Amino acid sequence: PLPLSFAALGTNSGLNILSLPFTLMGDGLRRLSLSGTGGNIAALIIYALLALSPLTFKLRRKWSREDWLLPLCSALLLYVLYYTVNPTLRPSVLQNSMGDLILSGVVYSTLLSWAVIKLILHCDSMNSTKLLRTLRRFLIVCTALFLCALAVGFSNCQTEIDAIAAANTAPGLNLSTTFVFVYLSYAATALEYILTVSLLLLAAKLVRELETDAYSPSCTLAAQKIALWSRRSLITVTLSALALQVAQLMFAARLHNIAVNFRLPIIGIVISFALLALSRLLCQTREIKNDNDLFI
């Protein structure tokens, strides 16, 4: 199970796995530094190389206005790695696993900001082939992020189960129904993410077809398949959220923990609807082209 995998890696939460590379680097550099004079020198060299690693994105390439974020990322890495190697020197509020996540998150956010801004500023200069290739890669990255969110959600689900069990210790108290609804809540979110991942993979396949020939029969079939799955996903994620709310209301008397938030699967609905509209547009474009070809 995922929680056991996270525990084996030295982290208790799925989200904390994001900070794992930094904690491992900090632990390794600290051990190397304490091994002796030679180890200390080697640790300092590795420390400097790691801090300068973001600048390798611009090796032998022309610098652009958004690339100032890379030196900033290097400076942040110097700061983050120093406090990862020396966790006792951190501000007290950062001397825990959440502190690891905050420190590593600053670096991730800087790199992500650089990548997003660079993509936006250079979209106009891309030809259609390169733009479609970039879009396909972006869809694959989004798929990976949704899968990570799925894993994190399962870990959070287990944490919520443990918290409910710790807060309700009265003898003879039956928490099974409460636990079932916690798992059902996670299952509804997982279903939304799984359907979204399926749609994103279909969209990546459609983009591949667009790269080859936007008016080919296979491109039209891929668009029609997305339209079909988008409709099914819209109906499924909407009804699953509604069913969970109604069921929770009906079993309220037997529950010892109730999710008071009104959950509407906005992300899944937006992605499904957008892909549905796109697939319709592509199909209509091919129909217009076919009619024009017949007219000519």
Side-chain angles (χ1 to χ4, degrees), residues 62 71 91 100 106 114 155 178 183 206 249 266 288 290 294:
K62 183 179 179 181
D100 292 334
V106 171
W114 170 77
S155 179
T178 302
Y183 284 118
L206 174 60
L249 179 63
I266 296 295
I288 292 172
N290 291 338
L294 291 174

Side-chain angles (χ1 to χ4, degrees), residues 55-212:
L55 301 181
T56 58
F57 286 109
K58 298 305 296 181
L59 284 179
R60 298 182 181 180
R61 295 179 183 177
K62 183 179 179 181
W63 283 71
S64 304
R65 54 185 175 179
E66 71 277 3
D67 293 330
W68 65 270
L69 286 169
L70 293 177
L72 173 62
C73 188
S74 289
L76 289 171
L77 264 174
L78 282 172
Y79 180 87
V80 169
L81 287 174
Y82 177 79
Y83 280 116
T84 306
V85 175
N86 304 282
T88 57
L89 300 179
R90 299 181 193 175
S92 57
V93 72
L94 297 178
Q95 293 185 9
N96 48 37
S97 60
M98 186 57 66
D100 292 334
L101 188 59
I102 292 172
L103 289 170
S104 59
V106 171
V107 178
Y108 288 130
S109 297
T110 307
L111 284 175
L112 183 60
S113 299
W114 170 77
V116 170
I117 293 173
K118 192 171 189 65
L119 177 62
I120 292 172
L121 293 179
H122 290 269
C123 276
D124 291 339
S125 61
M126 294 181 184
N127 57 38
S128 58
T129 301
K130 189 174 182 180
L131 187 60
L132 287 172
R133 189 184 303 118
T134 303
L135 175 60
R136 178 163 49 84
R137 291 172 179 172
F138 179 72
L139 290 171
I140 293 173
V141 170
C142 289
T143 300
L145 291 176
F146 270 103
L147 291 175
C148 290
L150 195 63
V152 170
F154 183 76
S155 179
N156 291 339
C157 178
Q158 292 296 117
T159 301
E160 185 175 354
I161 289 289
D162 294 339
I164 293 173
N168 297 273
T169 57
L173 197 62
N174 187 357
L175 297 174
S176 58
T177 304
T178 302
F179 291 160
V180 166
F181 272 87
V182 173
Y183 284 118
L184 285 176
S185 179
Y186 164 74
T189 302
L191 177 62
E192 177 191 350
Y193 286 175
I194 290 171
L195 290 174
T196 302
V197 164
S198 301
L199 284 173
L200 290 174
L201 290 175
L202 289 174
K205 183 179 179 181
L206 174 60
V207 172
R208 169 77 76 174
E209 296 292 344
L210 288 171
E211 290 180 60
T212 305

Side-chain angles (χ1 to χ4, degrees), residues 227-262:
L228 176 63
W229 276 96
S230 295
R231 286 194 294 269
R232 290 177 176 175
S233 296
L234 279 169
I235 294 171
T236 302
V237 298
T238 303
L239 290 182
S240 64
L242 174 62
L244 180 62
Q245 294 291 332
V246 172
Q248 185 174 248
L249 179 63
M250 300 301 294
F251 285 86
R254 299 172 58 181
L255 297 178
H256 297 276
N257 182 78
I258 296 181
V260 295
N261 59 307
F262 175 71

